[in-house]
């Protein structure tokens, strides 16, 4: 079983936000209108955060943050209804109909990348045709987050099956990694020693966010700079 | 079936509730299921179709994923040499243009007063007839030169079509604004290299970039710039490109740079020449290149035996490091270090295309001169000149002999707009009677628009081709909405990017959703009225025919290939280098079909250091001292005094408009990656993520330094007025440490629409404050004051 993971090279990343928009288009993420957004209720499964350099006040860095798909996720044990769990693929999954909206998981997540649907999703009639049929639309009152475009994995598996072959890592990548124009995001099997993602994850520049918490994220970052 | 206690209770509970609460209760209980109306009911036939992104004029090839005929997602076309399967955020958001609920549904005629937003729907026949009638009347009165066509710069066939239409109809007044590049560099390139085209920068292969402009935001092709940036950093083993950003403000590009050097606004050219001074003084320039391929470096004597000052002595006289340091505010040690780094790391590249406010075209000349000193011209990792796409020529037409209302060629489109406005308002040398506006919205596309609204009011008949009700089309008398890009045949020649000529071709990815029409087809339809144009000047029934006919030129040129993988490109390049060419097609039909199948044509072969191709100056060399410029200046105003200073690249002090006491701060405007050059700003996802460097959504803002704000008593998110001599706007204050304490910064491009499904209140437009702030010989900047509203 592959261990799906991602490497984000911060030296390549320019904070252009192509991943952010790609994710929203792919996953039917609802718009949060101005008055609601003012309450910080915007949903963005992947988004860019600004980091201030501690050593110099006039330095800033961009860091794309998304669900880290931890091997030891802090968000799953707190769910009272089993709506969020680590699935067979090792991805942290979210079952929307089970979710009761208690937001324990969102509070337990140290990376704060779980989002609560404060409002029923709304699209103008014209725009409903753009919704991706592979991804369910979330109702009001549930928590949602990055799935590593799990629906793409399901599709790729089915396709491989009908073509009577093994699933190869090239068959599957999430929308953000596909869009990333700087080539900062690399996706693949962390356990396959020959894959690019596994090799990059052993780079001396590699680090994980809040490593000390022992969450063992499957999103690895590469430090910017020489 | 086994019924558990839980199932039973659930069932019983719901039934009971259903009975007691009736219809109202049932709808409440089932309310959570409401989202199900978006559940998919199609058969799920998946398709992928090629198209070209139309969010900006860069022309990246895209693939559209459709389910049962409805577009669901856009990604880059892996075969397109520009996008290579990748896309910028604007490109990713293309579907919100197609599905925009506020688009015009068909042609409309103005009912109320101009700008009142009151429209009456009309048929296409009536719309086209009205335009034809007006054009005919104008022509009959021998006044065809009183037609103004306002559009964006476009090297593809739809752009050529406008040019041909203007010439054949007999008007010299075709004004094209460039939405992606800085026209200053166009002129610098023409004067010093003799090439009337924008240069391209080989970012990917360079080792060091000295950058004066936020090149990762809204300039160039954003997808291309991002891709090249990534490769510049980490593609080459053992080589990591170094980026030094020199700007008054910490832009997102500066945040990404290895080093950000804050410089005083408007002194960039002085720093560039200060670097040239050190490179010359320390003998770090490429002597061979300077001797063989440049002109005007040393002092020289012309045909009349007059001695002229060369670049070398001029710089040595004028730009010593101490002086430059005090002017620019950059420490002397830093200048010395930059000069050494720039000349030692080879190839190195200096870029200063500044949008929206160019530092003047002397800055661009200085930049080219700096690149020439280290021989970064036409080499791998340097400044390169893109080759042309070999279209079949359009039929000859004589064109109008009348002088354009701009009465002379201007040095930038930023400068063109104030002149245009003035000429229209003053009706000098003659009034404009009809204006056709296509693919441009000067109000939000970073042009100085002071009085532009009044100028529009003055024109008796305004036709817009915009599919969106933007600020410009709001003033139109008639709107003939174009298709959006996914709905139409397209051809795009991207602005210079990779040196090789590229042409994107695509058929519609979807049938038009609404009653719109391709503008190119509308022009041809109008042109077919014999009283308007002679048929022979535009002998095509529709745009499709024109496309196919013009591509004959490419087919017959016997070079290049249809879009392919980078491996195929490298292979073709190798072959062409050896003088071979192996086409994948045997006749034109095959060529045409392959074009549509792959998405376009390109010629990957680029030969560096073909000096006769890249230096078309009178001397056949790169000219530090531009002879073209000398002749031009002499023809404008002949003077006896030694004007060498005016011709050599130099720094001119900036003129600040507004007096120091009442307007104590400087104004800086900047473009955003998300909104630069977009024709339709009504895109909710873009408004949710306007920029990565501040947390701001759905609104415009002004950046002010925290210390300055404290002194003025302004706090984060306060409503403030920003006022210049030209006007004032109300906006929200954001405290940002990355702006200079004496400068306030405003973003452009956010105010495309006053009202939409999402934006209910008007977003103030900083363009109102901006005058001809750039790219001109006068070099004017603005002073402002800021106070709490």
């Amino acid at each position: 079983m592959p261990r799906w993971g991602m490497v984000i090279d911060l030296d390549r990343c320019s904070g252009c936000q192509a991943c952010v928009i790609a994710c929203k288009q792919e996953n039917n993420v609802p718009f949060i209108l101005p008055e609601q957004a003012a309450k910080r209720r915007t949903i963005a499964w992947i988004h860019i955060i600004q980091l201030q350099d501690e050593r110099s006040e006039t330095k800033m860095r961009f860091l794309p943050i998304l669900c880290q798909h931890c091997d030891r996720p802090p968000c799953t044990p707190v769910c009272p209804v089993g709506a969020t769990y680590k699935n067979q693929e090792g991805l942290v999954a979210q079952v929307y109909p089970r979710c009761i909206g208690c937001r324990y998981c969102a509070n337990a997540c140290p990376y704060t990348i779980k989002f609560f649907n404060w409002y029923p999703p709304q699209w103008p009639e014209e725009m409903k045709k753009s919704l991706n049929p592979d991804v369910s639309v979330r109702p009001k009152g549930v928590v949602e987050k990055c799935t590593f475009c799990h629906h793409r994995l399901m599709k790729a598996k089915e396709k491989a099956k009908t073509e009577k072959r093994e699933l190869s890592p090239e068959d599957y990548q999430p929308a953000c990694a596909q869009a990333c124009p700087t080539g900062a995001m690399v996706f693949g099997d962390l356990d396959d020693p020959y894959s690019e993602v596994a090799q990059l994850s052993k780079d001396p520049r590699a680090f994980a966010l809040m490593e000390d918490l022992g969450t063992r994220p499957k999103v690895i970052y590469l430090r910017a700079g020489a | 079936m086994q019924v558990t206690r839980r199932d039973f209770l659930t069932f019983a509970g719901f039934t009971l509730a259903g009975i007691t609460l009736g219809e109202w209760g049932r709808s409440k209980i089932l309310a959570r299921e409401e989202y199900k109306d978006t559940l998919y009911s199609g058969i799920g036939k998946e398709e992928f179709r090629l198209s070209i992104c139309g969010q900006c004029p860069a022309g990246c090839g895209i693939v559209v994923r459709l389910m049962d005929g409805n577009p669901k997602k856009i990604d880059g076309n892996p075969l397109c040499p520009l996008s290579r399967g990748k896309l910028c955020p604007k490109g990713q958001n293309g579907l919100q243009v197609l599905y925009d609920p506020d688009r015009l549904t068909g042609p409309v005629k103005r009912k109320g007063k101009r700008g009142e937003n009151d429209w009456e729907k009309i048929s296409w026949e009536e719309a086209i007839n009205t335009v034809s009638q007006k054009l005919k009347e104008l022509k009959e009165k021998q006044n065809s030169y009183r037609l103004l066509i306002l559009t964006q710069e476009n090297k593809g066939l739809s752009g050529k079509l406008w040019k041909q239409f203007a010439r054949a109809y007999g008007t010299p007044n075709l004004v094209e604004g460039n939405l992606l590049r800085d026209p200053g560099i166009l002129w610098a390139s023409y004067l010093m290299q003799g090439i009337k085209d924008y240069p391209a920068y080989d970012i990917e292969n360079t080792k060091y970039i000295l950058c004066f402009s936020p090149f990762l935001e809204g300039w160039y092709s954003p997808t291309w710039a991002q891709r090249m940036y990534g490769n510049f950093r980490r593609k080459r083993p053992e080589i990591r490109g170094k980026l030094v950003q020199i700007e008054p403000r910490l832009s997102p590009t500066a945040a990404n740079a290895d080093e950000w050097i804050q410089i005083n606004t408007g002194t960039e050219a002085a720093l560039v020449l200060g670097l040239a001074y050190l490179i010359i003084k320390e003998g770090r320039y490429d002597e061979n290149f300077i001797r063989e391929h440049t002109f005007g470096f040393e002092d020289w004597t012309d045909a009349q035996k007059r001695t002229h000052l060369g670049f070398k002595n001029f710089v040595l006289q004028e730009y010593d490091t101490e002086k430059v340091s005090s002017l620019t505010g950059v420490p002397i040690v830093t200048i010395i270090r930059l000069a050494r780094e720039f000349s030692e790391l080879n190839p190195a590249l200096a870029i200063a295309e500044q949008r929206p406010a160019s530092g003047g075209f002397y800055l661009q000349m200085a930049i080219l001169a700096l690149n020439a000193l280290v021989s970064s011209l036409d080499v791998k990792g340097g400044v390169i000149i893109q080759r042309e796409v070999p279209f079949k020529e359009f039929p000859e037409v004589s064109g109008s002999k009348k002088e354009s209302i701009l009465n002379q060629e201007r040095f930038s489109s930023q400068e063109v707009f104030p002149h245009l406005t003035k000429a229209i308002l003053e009706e000098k040398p003659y009034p404009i009677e009809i204006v056709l506006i296509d693919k441009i919205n000067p109000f939000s596309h970073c042009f100085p628009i002071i009085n532009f609204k009044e100028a529009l009011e003055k024109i008796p008949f305004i036709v817009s081709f915009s599919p969106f009700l933007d600020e410009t089309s709001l003033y139109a008398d008639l709107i003939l909405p174009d298709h959006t890009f996914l709905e139409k045949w397209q051809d795009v020649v991207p602005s210079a990017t990779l040196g090789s000529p590229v042409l994107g071709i695509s058929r519609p990815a979807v049938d038009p959703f609404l009653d719109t029409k391709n503008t190119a087809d509308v022009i041809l339809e109008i042109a077919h009225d014999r009283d308007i144009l002679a048929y022979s000047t535009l002998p095509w029934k529709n745009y499709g025919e024109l496309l196919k006919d013009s591509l004959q030129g490419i087919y017959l040129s016997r070079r290049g290939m249809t879009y392919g993988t980078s491996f195929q490109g490298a292979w073709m390049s190798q072959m062409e280098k050896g003088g071979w060419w192996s086409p994948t097609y045997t006749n034109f039909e095959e060529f045409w079909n392959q074009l549509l199948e792959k998405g376009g044509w390109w010629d990957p072969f680029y030969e560096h250091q073909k000096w006769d191709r890249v230096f078309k100056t009178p001397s056949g060399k790169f000219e530090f001292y531009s002879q073209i410029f000398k002749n031009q200046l002499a023809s404008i105003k002949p003077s006896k005094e030694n004007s060498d200073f005016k011709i050599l690249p130099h720094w001119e002090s900036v003129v600040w408009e507004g007096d120091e006491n009442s307007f104590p701060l400087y104004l800086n405007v900047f473009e955003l990656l998300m909104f630069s050059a977009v024709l339709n700003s009504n895109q909710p996802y873009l408004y949710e993520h306007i920029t990565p460097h501040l947390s701001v959504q759905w609104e415009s803002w002004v950046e002010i330094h925290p210390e300055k704000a404290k002194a003025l008593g302004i706090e984060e998110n306060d409503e403030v007025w920003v006022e210049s001599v030209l006007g004032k706007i109300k906006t929200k204050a954001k405290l940002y440490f990355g702006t200079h304490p004496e400068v306030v910064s405003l973003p452009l491009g956010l105010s495309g629409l006053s009202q939409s499904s999402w934006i209910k209140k008007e977003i103030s437009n900083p363009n109102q404050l901006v005058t001809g702030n750039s790219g001109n010989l006068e070099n004017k900047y603005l002073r402002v004051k800021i106070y709490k509203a």
Side-chain angles (χ1 to χ4, degrees):
Chain A
M1 182 71 71
R3 194 166 150 258
W4 301 110
M6 183 185 277
V7 167
I8 302 178
D9 187 342
L10 298 178
D11 209 17
R12 276 177 177 254
C13 176
S14 67
C16 76
Q17 309 196 77
C19 52
V20 180
I21 307 292
C23 169
K24 293 196 151 192
Q25 290 283 0
E26 175 77 15
N27 291 302
N28 303 335
V29 177
F31 330 119
I32 302 299
L33 296 175
E35 309 82 65
Q36 308 160 345
K39 297 178 190 156
R40 305 249 158 202
R41 288 172 179 182
T42 301
I43 300 176
W45 293 4
I46 177 168
H47 57 272
I48 309 286
I49 54 175
Q50 307 119 27
L51 301 178
Q52 202 98 8
D53 197 320
E54 282 170 4
R55 285 161 299 176
S56 109
E57 275 188 359
T58 54
K59 198 83 189 114
M60 183 170 50
R61 281 277 163 206
F62 301 125
L63 181 132
I65 190 162
L66 67 162
C67 175
Q68 307 283 308
H69 290 279
C70 313
D71 277 344
R72 291 170 57 190
C75 61
T76 56
V78 299
C79 180
V81 290
T84 183
Y85 67 106
K86 206 173 112 183
N87 70 11
Q88 290 171 333
E89 312 280 346
L91 307 180
V92 178
Q94 196 86 22
V95 184
Y96 309 123
R98 268 189 218 160
C99 179
I100 54 170
C102 68
R103 286 170 276 156
Y104 283 3
C105 61
N107 291 325
C109 172
Y111 308 103
T112 61
I113 43 67
K114 294 197 137 187
F115 299 89
F116 183 64
N117 278 280
W118 289 90
Y119 310 97
Q122 274 168 357
W123 280 271
E125 206 48 48
E126 293 85 347
M127 271 191 179
K128 282 188 184 161
K129 280 196 272 179
S130 76
L131 293 179
N132 184 358
D134 301 338
V135 179
S136 58
V137 174
R138 283 76 59 187
K140 175 182 170 179
V142 305
V143 169
E144 63 179 76
K145 64 160 198 84
C146 161
T147 63
F148 266 174
C149 288
H150 189 251
H151 57 282
R152 289 190 173 198
L153 174 61
M154 306 307 273
K155 264 199 151 164
K157 273 184 167 172
E158 275 169 31
K159 197 172 169 221
K161 205 169 161 190
T162 46
E163 287 167 9
K164 295 204 171 66
R165 59 179 174 86
E166 288 276 303
L167 179 77
S168 80
E170 295 84 65
D171 292 338
Y172 162 48
Q173 64 172 338
C176 51
Q178 187 186 354
C180 179
T182 57
M185 289 176 152
V186 179
F187 187 80
D189 180 3
L190 285 167
D191 278 352
D192 173 4
Y194 299 105
S195 73
E196 194 186 352
V197 67
Q199 282 172 7
L200 283 173
S201 72
K202 293 188 188 74
D203 193 285
R205 296 188 291 133
F207 71 96
L209 289 183
M210 304 184 199
E211 267 165 303
D212 47 329
L213 297 180
T215 52
R216 294 192 200 146
K218 284 197 282 293
V219 177
I220 313 285
Y221 293 87
L222 303 184
R223 181 172 51 76
Chain B
M1 194 181 86
Q2 202 189 351
V3 180
T4 62
R5 181 184 146 85
R6 184 181 171 141
D7 287 340
F8 174 76
L9 285 178
T10 311
F11 176 75
F14 273 98
T15 317
L16 195 68
I19 293 165
T20 48
L21 298 174
E23 175 61 33
W24 177 84
R26 275 196 293 279
S27 66
K28 279 286 168 209
I29 288 168
L30 296 175
R32 259 189 73 168
E33 305 288 303
E34 186 189 43
Y35 67 100
K36 274 193 174 161
D37 79 339
T38 55
L39 276 189
Y40 198 65
S41 56
I43 56 166
K45 187 176 160 234
E46 190 177 31
E47 269 177 287
F48 293 90
R49 293 188 196 151
L50 297 187
S51 186
I52 301 167
C53 179
Q55 288 271 37
C56 80
C60 301
I62 53 174
V63 183
V64 188
R65 172 176 177 249
L66 301 101
M67 286 291 248
D68 302 316
N70 289 319
K72 299 289 182 192
K73 179 85 204 298
I74 295 177
D75 272 299
N77 175 359
L79 299 181
C80 170
L82 251 74
S83 57
R84 283 267 172 257
K86 303 296 184 179
L87 221 49
C88 78
K90 278 183 284 186
Q92 282 288 348
N93 211 40
L95 291 181
Q96 291 193 341
V97 175
L98 177 73
Y99 292 111
D100 181 356
D102 301 321
R103 257 171 73 187
L104 282 162
T105 53
V108 289
K109 193 165 80 176
R110 177 172 58 86
K111 223 162 69 181
K113 282 200 188 116
R114 274 189 181 162
E116 268 187 359
N117 204 3
D118 190 6
W119 307 93
E120 182 189 341
K121 233 185 136 167
I122 53 172
S123 70
W124 269 103
E125 204 186 343
E126 188 188 338
I128 291 178
N129 278 342
T130 317
V131 181
S132 299
Q133 202 54 40
K134 290 273 182 189
L135 288 175
K136 231 185 281 184
E137 280 166 22
L138 200 64
K139 185 136 195 173
E140 272 164 17
K141 283 189 269 173
Q142 306 284 326
N143 280 344
S144 56
Y145 58 91
R146 293 183 177 186
L147 168 72
L148 170 68
I149 299 169
L150 211 55
T151 179
Q152 58 167 252
E153 214 170 290
N154 177 346
K155 294 178 93 184
L157 291 167
S158 30
K160 277 175 175 286
L161 179 61
W162 270 127
K163 286 196 188 76
Q164 179 82 350
F165 181 84
R167 282 175 70 84
Y169 181 74
T171 175
N173 298 313
L174 174 77
V175 176
E176 294 175 302
N178 195 307
L179 307 188
L180 287 178
R181 304 291 299 267
D182 174 5
I185 191 77
L186 178 78
W187 285 97
S189 169
Y190 174 57
L191 299 179
M192 299 176 98
Q193 289 187 235
I195 305 280
K196 244 187 181 170
D197 196 1
Y198 296 91
Y201 305 98
D202 193 357
I203 293 167
E204 183 181 27
N205 291 312
T206 197
K207 282 187 191 152
Y208 187 83
I209 299 180
L210 203 58
C211 190
F212 293 81
S213 57
F215 84 106
L216 292 171
E217 298 135 65
W219 165 77
Y220 229 30
S221 152
T223 311
W224 173 262
Q226 306 289 343
R227 273 186 57 220
M228 291 306 108
Y229 171 74
N231 292 347
F232 162 76
R233 286 297 204 194
R234 285 285 162 186
K235 194 188 178 189
R236 298 160 290 183
E238 308 298 321
I239 300 173
R240 176 180 178 274
K242 185 175 176 187
L243 172 66
V244 176
Q245 187 76 10
I246 303 162
E247 258 190 287
R249 169 179 168 265
L250 183 74
S251 65
T253 309
N256 282 309
D258 295 284
E259 201 176 337
W260 167 52
I261 295 165
Q262 198 166 28
I263 185 172
N264 295 338
T265 314
T267 61
E268 289 86 352
L271 181 63
V272 175
L273 293 163
L275 295 174
Y277 169 88
L278 281 169
I279 290 172
I280 293 171
K281 189 148 196 204
E282 297 186 354
R284 291 169 176 277
Y285 57 92
D286 186 337
E287 262 176 70
N288 245 336
F289 176 80
I290 299 286
R291 195 172 50 240
E292 299 293 324
H293 305 294
T294 66
F295 168 86
F297 184 69
E298 304 285 349
D299 296 353
W300 57 287
T301 334
D302 63 12
Q304 286 90 38
K305 300 265 184 279
R306 258 187 303 190
T307 352
H308 290 276
L309 189 60
F311 180 70
K312 179 175 149 189
N313 284 335
F314 171 68
V315 168
L316 290 180
Q317 275 169 29
E318 296 286 322
Y319 294 98
D320 68 85
T321 316
E322 215 165 304
K323 181 181 162 192
V324 168
S325 173
S326 67
L327 257 174
T328 56
V330 180
I332 293 180
V333 274
T334 311
I335 302 179
I336 295 174
R337 183 167 51 80
L338 289 183
R340 293 188 179 163
E341 279 178 356
F342 187 72
S343 50
E344 259 158 41
L345 288 168
N346 219 332
L349 194 56
I351 303 174
E353 273 193 51
Q354 277 175 312
R355 287 185 61 85
S358 133
F361 87 111
Y362 284 124
L363 169 62
Q364 305 304 338
M365 285 174 78
I367 280 286
L368 271 186
L370 188 65
N371 281 317
L373 281 181
V374 295
S375 67
S376 276
L377 296 181
D378 214 44
V379 290
K380 208 170 174 182
V383 183
I384 52 181
I385 299 290
Q386 180 151 312
R387 289 189 296 156
E388 297 279 323
V389 174
F391 285 124
K392 187 174 153 185
E393 291 296 322
F394 277 20
E396 274 293 315
V397 283
S398 52
S400 167
K401 289 188 184 64
K402 204 81 187 175
E403 209 182 356
S404 148
I405 48 167
L406 296 171
N407 70 40
Q408 70 182 64
E409 279 191 290
R410 295 287 162 187
F411 286 100
S412 85
S413 56
Q414 265 80 7
E415 201 192 354
V416 161
F417 272 83
H419 277 94
L420 185 71
T421 311
K422 207 168 149 224
I424 297 171
L425 279 175
E426 290 175 3
E427 307 196 336
K428 270 180 197 161
Y430 46 81
I432 289 295
E433 290 188 18
I434 302 178
V435 59
L436 308 179
I437 305 171
D438 179 34
K439 292 194 197 68
I440 195 163
N441 176 14
F443 288 102
S444 80
H445 285 150
C446 79
F447 300 109
I449 45 141
I450 200 78
N451 291 336
F452 187 64
K453 205 196 282 181
E454 289 74 15
L456 281 180
E457 296 278 3
K458 192 122 194 173
I459 301 172
F461 191 58
I462 304 172
V463 182
S464 166
F465 294 94
S466 171
F468 320 102
L469 208 52
D470 56 33
E471 291 150 307
T472 311
S473 48
L474 203 59
Y475 287 95
D477 298 304
L478 201 62
I479 308 179
L480 284 66
D482 195 357
H483 297 321
T484 60
F485 56 92
L486 291 176
E487 301 167 303
K488 64 176 181 178
W489 281 96
Q490 293 184 90
D491 76 283
V492 184
V493 176
S495 169
T497 40
L498 65 169
S500 328
V502 182
L503 168 72
I505 292 278
S506 86
R507 67 176 117 208
V510 280
D511 289 336
F513 281 13
L514 304 164
D515 187 21
T516 52
K517 230 174 190 174
N518 192 337
T519 302
D521 281 328
V522 177
I523 304 169
L524 285 170
E525 207 169 309
I526 293 171
H528 283 165
D529 194 321
R530 296 289 161 84
D531 296 328
I532 294 175
L533 303 191
Y535 182 69
S536 60
T537 54
L538 283 171
W540 304 282
K541 269 204 210 71
N542 54 41
Y543 176 54
E545 222 174 76
L546 160 83
L547 208 62
K548 233 173 154 175
D549 189 40
S550 299
L551 291 183
Q552 290 280 358
I554 296 176
Y555 175 69
L556 294 173
S557 73
R558 300 178 61 76
R559 61 186 175 96
M561 59 190 281
T562 49
Y563 278 2
T565 60
S566 38
F567 174 77
Q568 286 167 333
W571 181 236
M572 179 57 94
S573 180
Q574 277 303 315
M575 286 215 299
E576 288 195 16
K577 199 172 177 182
W580 296 88
W581 180 67
S582 104
T584 48
Y585 39 84
T586 52
N587 56 41
F588 183 77
E589 273 311 306
E590 264 180 51
F591 171 61
W592 173 251
N593 289 336
Q594 280 183 22
L595 270 182
L596 295 179
E597 216 173 279
K598 305 275 169 70
W601 174 91
W602 67 312
D603 185 1
F605 177 53
Y606 189 89
E607 207 172 355
H608 289 293
Q609 302 184 332
K610 276 280 181 199
W611 304 120
D612 52 341
R613 189 181 75 80
V614 295
F615 299 149
K616 289 196 172 136
T617 51
S619 60
K621 293 175 172 179
F622 176 83
E623 294 193 348
F624 284 107
Y625 186 105
S626 170
Q627 300 188 68
I628 301 176
F629 196 18
K630 186 176 167 236
N631 298 340
Q632 258 188 10
L633 275 188
S635 68
I636 297 172
K637 67 172 169 216
S639 69
K640 285 196 187 104
E641 59 173 314
N642 190 350
S643 59
D644 288 356
F645 286 97
K646 203 102 187 111
I647 292 165
L648 285 163
H650 62 276
W651 170 77
E652 283 188 353
S653 66
V654 168
V655 181
W656 293 96
E657 257 181 54
D659 80 285
E660 213 168 317
N661 295 325
S662 38
F663 299 104
L665 297 166
Y666 301 112
L667 175 69
N668 171 41
V669 284
F670 58 94
E671 282 199 302
L672 298 158
L673 171 56
M674 289 291 187
F675 286 93
S676 68
V678 295
L679 291 170
N680 178 19
S681 57
N682 192 29
Q683 302 182 48
Y685 280 163
L686 300 190
Y687 269 108
E688 284 191 303
H689 299 277
I690 297 175
T691 176
H693 79 282
L694 285 175
S695 17
V696 29
Q697 292 176 300
W698 296 103
E699 61 190 348
S700 189
W701 70 95
V702 54
E703 286 171 11
I704 174 165
H705 197 274
E707 277 167 28
K708 195 78 200 173
K710 209 173 164 189
L712 294 169
I714 294 169
E715 280 173 33
E716 178 91 358
N717 293 335
D718 276 354
E719 294 267 336
V720 291
W721 287 102
V722 181
E723 186 176 335
S724 78
V725 279
L726 300 167
K728 59 177 185 175
I729 59 166
K730 198 175 175 182
T731 183
K732 210 168 214 182
K734 286 279 169 190
L735 309 191
Y736 181 48
F737 68 87
T739 196
H740 194 284
E742 298 303 318
V743 178
V744 294
S745 307
L746 286 166
L748 291 176
L750 287 166
S751 61
L753 294 156
S754 52
Q755 280 193 348
S756 80
S757 299
W758 293 282
I759 311 290
K760 303 291 184 210
K761 59 174 187 186
E762 202 160 324
I763 293 182
S764 56
N765 188 348
N767 280 22
Q768 293 164 7
L769 303 180
V770 184
T771 174
N773 61 343
S774 58
N776 55 25
L777 298 161
E778 294 135 357
N779 230 0
K780 276 186 190 152
Y781 287 73
L782 273 174
R783 282 177 169 279
V784 289
K785 65 177 167 190
I786 182 166
Y787 49 93
K788 256 173 128 162

